[in-house]
Amino acid sequence: MAKHIFVTGGVVSSLGKGITAASLAHLLKARGYKVTMQKIDPYLNVDPGTMSPYQHGEVFVTDDGYESDLDLGHYERFIDESLTRESNFTQGAIYQSLITKERRGDFLGGTVQVIPHVTNAIKERLYRIADQTQADIVISEIGGTVGDIESQPFIEAARQFKKEKPAGDVVFIHCTLVPYIAAAHEVKTKPTQHSVKELRSVGVQPDFIVCRSDHEISQSVREKIALFCDVTPEDVIACIDAPSIYQVPLALYDQSFDGKVLSRLGLPAYGLPDLAPLRKFLSDQDNCHGEVDIAIVGKYVQLPDAYLSIMEALHHAGVANGVATNLHLIDAEKVSDASAPELLGSMDAVLVPGGFGARAFEGKIAAVRFAREQKIPFFGICLGLQAAVCEFARNVAGLEGATSSEFDEQAAYQVVDIMPDQRNIDEKGGTMRLGAYPCKLRKDTRAFEIYGDEVIYERHRHRFEVSNVYRPRLEEAGLVVSGESPDGRLTEMVELEDHPWFVATQAHPEFKSRPTRPHPLFTSFVAAAKAKRQG
Ligand code: GLN
C-alpha cells in the first residue's frame, strides 16, 4: 500500500512548492523507494493545454500525450522518471467528469454536491495513481494557496483521505514564505502562523513546515514557528533561495528532511541515499569554465517560464560541455533582416522555439536566415522547424513568400500545412498531435550521428507539418530531411549540410532533458556554440 505526502502552499503563490516536492522526491528515490508525483490544480480549465504561456508558462507534454502543468517538468527532471496523464488533474477535469455522469443519469436523480461528489472524485484520483504506478510513495502537490476558495475541495479531500488511510500513512507538508523585513532586520513568522491557522481551520495539521526565505532561519525562528503551529522545531525545515534549483535536494538532505518524513510514514531509512549523480552534476556546474551566448528568439519572452524546459535543457547541456550558458530571450517581433546583425550578431548560437499564431513569425524567419547565412549554430524546435523550412523555401528554393497555412491560407506556397487528421477538428483542447511518436533517422545525417540510433522517440504538440507537396522541391534545393515518421509521411527533422550546425525538429526534445541525463541534441548544439565561441 502506498504512503502519501501532500504538499500545500501558504502566504503567496510561486513559492517553489514544486521544487520542494520534487527535491524531497529525489531524496526518497535516492533512498531506493519507488516514488511518483502528481500536481493537482484548483482552476476550472480542464487541462493547461489551452492556457496562455503568458499566464501559465510552458505547457509540458508527457509521453502519453497529456498537456500538463510545467511543474511536471520539474518532477521529471528531479526524479528522472517519465510521468503520465495520471500525474496532473484540475478541478475543471473533475467537474467535467461529474457533469458528464450527471447528464447520463448516473446519479439517479440525486443531488450532486461538492461534498461528497467532488471530494470523492478527487480521492478516486489519489487512489488511482497509487494503484496504477504501484509506487511506495505518492507525492501530491496541491496548487494554489491555502485559503483560496477554489482549493478548498482539494484540502478537504486530502483531509478525508488521511482519515480513510491507516494512521501514519499520510503526511502533510506546508510550504510558506518567511519574509525578511529590512527595516526590522529580521525574518517574520506571522504570515506562516496565519497560513497554518487557515490550514488547521479546515482540519489539516501540517506535519512539516517548509520555510521559503532569502534569509537564514535561525533556531529561535524555528522554535517560534513550532510553538505557534504545533510542530516540533525539528519539523520546521528551511528552504533558502539557492543559486541553483538542483541544490535544493541537498539543502533538504542536510536537515535530514527525507529521514524525518520516512520516519513519520513508518518507513525505514536504509543506509545513505545515492546522491552521487546529483552531486556530480552540481560539481560539474561549479566547474564550468568559459561561457556561450545563446539567443532564444520567441514571442512569449516577457515570461521566461514560457520556455522553461528549453532553458533547463540548455543549462544541462552547458554543464555537460563545461560552459555557462548565457541565455538571451529575444523578442521575435523585433527581429528583421535589418535588425538581425545587431540583435544576433554577437550570439554563439540561435534557437527558435515553438509557438502558435502569426505574430512574430516573420521575425523568426529573419532569425533563421541570419543564422543560416552567417553560419551561426541554429536549432529549430517545432514552430522553429516550420520557420526554418519556410525560410529555406523562400530564400534558397525560390518559393517567394512561402509560409505555413496556419498564417495564410491564401499564400501561393504553403510549404507547411495542416496535417490531414487535423483538418476537421474544431475543438481546441487536447486535439493536437500529442505525445511520443517514433522518428526514423537517415543514416548519413547529423541527427543520426547525434542520437546514435535509427529510431528515436520524442514528444510532439502541433497541428501543422512540412507539406509533402513541396518536400521534393525543398530536398532538391538541398534541405536534408534527416528524420521522418516510420511510414515516411511526416517530416520530423531537417538539417543543412553546408553549415556548422543547423538542425530542426518537429518535436520537443527539451521535455526529455534531465540534469543527470542531458539531451544529446542540446548537448551537441551547445558544443557547436562552444566551438563557434572558441573560433
Ligand atoms: N503552431 C505550430 C503547429 O501547430 C507549431 C506548434 C508548436 O510550436 N508547438 O504546428
Side-chain angles (χ1 to χ4, degrees):
M1 290 297 271
K3 305 275 186 173
H4 289 258
I5 299 172
F6 290 99
V7 180
T8 54
V11 185
V12 291
S13 58
S14 306
L15 266 180
K17 282 198 302 285
I19 303 284
T20 306
S23 297
L24 176 62
H26 183 96
L27 297 177
L28 298 174
K29 186 181 174 194
R31 288 258 183 204
Y33 285 102
K34 184 168 164 44
V35 183
T36 197
M37 304 189 70
Q38 70 180 343
K39 175 80 188 288
I40 304 176
D41 281 311
Y43 50 72
L44 292 181
N45 303 65
V46 172
D47 64 39
T50 50
M51 295 170 86
S52 160
Y54 280 130
Q55 277 190 28
H56 215 69
E58 86 179 359
V59 173
F60 188 83
V61 182
T62 57
D63 274 339
D64 64 345
Y66 178 78
E67 297 174 280
S68 81
D69 184 83
L70 55 72
D71 268 316
L72 263 73
H74 288 311
Y75 300 169
E76 288 204 356
R77 290 186 281 272
F78 275 75
I79 60 174
D80 194 12
E81 306 265 349
S82 291
L83 300 171
T84 68
R85 58 182 61 243
E86 273 311 305
S87 283
N88 185 204
F89 66 95
T90 68
Q91 185 145 227
I94 296 283
Y95 273 86
Q96 190 189 42
S97 72
L98 284 176
I99 290 169
T100 307
K101 282 188 191 162
E102 187 273 337
R103 293 288 83 184
R104 226 169 30 211
D106 289 7
F107 294 104
L108 304 173
T111 310
V112 187
Q113 295 181 295
V114 173
I115 301 174
H117 299 97
V118 170
T119 46
N120 281 352
I122 295 168
K123 284 187 287 178
E124 242 168 63
R125 292 290 304 242
L126 300 173
Y127 286 111
R128 201 168 87 189
I129 189 172
D131 217 43
Q132 290 198 352
T133 58
Q134 291 294 305
D136 302 317
I137 303 170
V138 178
I139 303 184
S140 304
E141 178 191 349
I142 301 180
T145 307
V146 167
D148 294 349
I149 289 177
E150 59 181 14
S151 64
Q152 274 178 12
F154 294 96
I155 311 272
E156 169 60 13
R159 185 196 68 77
Q160 293 176 13
F161 186 75
K162 181 175 178 173
K163 280 267 167 270
E164 290 173 12
K165 301 284 286 179
D169 271 14
V170 176
V171 155
F172 278 90
I173 297 171
H174 190 55
C175 244
T176 75
L177 178 72
V178 179
Y180 177 76
I181 304 298
H185 302 290
E186 58 180 15
V187 296
K188 290 291 183 188
T189 65
K190 192 77 82 191
T192 298
Q193 295 175 34
H194 277 287
S195 120
V196 170
K197 191 169 145 212
E198 191 80 45
L199 192 57
R200 293 172 74 182
S201 76
V202 289
V204 171
Q205 166 65 44
D207 296 278
F208 296 95
I209 296 173
V210 174
C211 303
R212 290 281 296 108
S213 186
D214 52 9
H215 272 69
E216 196 210 337
I217 306 291
S218 65
Q219 185 58 22
S220 68
V221 171
R222 281 175 206 258
E223 281 168 10
K224 192 164 175 189
I225 292 174
L227 183 65
F228 279 99
C229 302
D230 209 10
V231 296
T232 67
E234 294 71 48
D235 296 337
V236 178
I237 307 290
C239 191
I240 312 298
D241 290 357
S244 159
I245 53 171
Y246 298 111
Q247 286 168 351
V248 175
L250 297 182
L252 298 180
Y253 177 64
D254 288 343
Q255 298 169 77
S256 309
F257 190 31
D258 53 327
K260 290 175 190 169
V261 169
L262 287 173
S263 131
R264 195 63 60 93
L265 289 169
L267 293 172
Y270 303 114
L272 290 174
D274 178 13
L275 298 174
L278 183 66
R279 286 194 201 279
K280 165 142 192 347
F281 173 79
L282 290 170
S283 98
D284 290 349
Q285 180 174 270
D286 284 344
N287 288 315
C288 284
H289 297 291
E291 52 188 0
V292 290
D293 287 291
I294 299 179
I296 299 175
V297 183
K299 67 190 278 195
Y300 313 115
V301 290
Q302 287 88 332
L303 186 69
D305 269 359
Y307 301 111
L308 184 61
S309 290
I310 287 180
M311 295 169 74
E312 287 299 312
L314 287 169
H315 175 59
H316 305 157
V319 172
N321 277 288
V323 289
T325 41
N326 305 327
L327 305 181
H328 305 261
L329 290 171
I330 293 181
D331 183 355
E333 270 194 297
K334 301 212 167 85
V335 184
S336 64
D337 286 343
S339 69
E342 192 199 325
L343 291 170
L344 303 175
S346 60
M347 295 293 153
D348 302 310
V350 172
L351 187 151
V352 175
F356 295 83
R359 182 174 66 79
F361 187 64
E362 289 305 313
K364 292 176 185 178
I365 299 246
V368 178
R369 178 176 196 172
F370 187 75
R372 181 178 59 77
E373 291 181 348
Q374 301 304 314
K375 308 249 185 264
I376 300 172
F378 167 81
F379 192 4
I381 292 181
C382 206
L383 186 65
L385 172 138
Q386 297 172 3
V389 168
C390 293
E391 192 280 327
F392 185 88
R394 287 183 196 179
N395 301 321
V396 181
L399 303 173
E400 203 179 315
T403 189
S404 165
S405 60
E406 180 179 1
F407 312 128
D408 183 359
E409 287 183 53
Q410 311 307 324
Y413 304 114
Q414 296 171 31
V415 293
V416 174
D417 202 357
I418 188 106
M419 287 183 277
D421 33 7
Q422 289 284 330
R423 245 175 244 287
N424 299 316
I425 295 177
D426 293 325
E427 288 218 353
K428 291 274 180 277
T431 53
M432 282 186 251
R433 179 185 184 220
L434 290 168
Y437 282 88
C439 160
K440 233 179 102 204
L441 299 178
R442 223 178 80 187
K443 281 244 164 82
D444 50 351
T445 59
R446 190 184 289 278
F448 180 79
E449 190 192 311
I450 292 170
Y451 277 100
D453 235 328
E454 207 175 333
V455 179
I456 53 122
Y457 288 79
E458 294 290 1
R459 302 179 191 173
H460 290 254
R461 181 171 183 253
H462 62 115
R463 293 185 204 282
F464 295 80
E465 60 162 331
V466 176
S467 159
N468 288 325
V469 176
Y470 293 101
R471 182 173 153 178
R473 243 172 112 171
L474 297 171
E475 286 184 287
E476 262 163 48
L479 186 74
V480 178
V481 175
S482 44
E484 55 183 22
S485 54
D487 63 5
R489 209 172 57 82
L490 299 170
T491 298
E492 302 284 32
M493 291 189 74
V494 301
E495 59 188 59
L496 293 180
E497 266 164 355
D498 188 20
H499 193 282
W501 206 99
F502 190 107
V503 178
T505 167
Q506 188 59 74
H508 289 275
E510 69 273 22
F511 295 142
K512 283 174 67 170
S513 177
R514 287 151 192 190
T516 48
R517 230 150 30 94
H519 192 287
L521 272 179
F522 283 87
T523 307
S524 174
F525 175 58
V526 173
K530 186 176 163 185
K532 162 126 191 355
R533 179 69 160 232
Q534 290 167 350

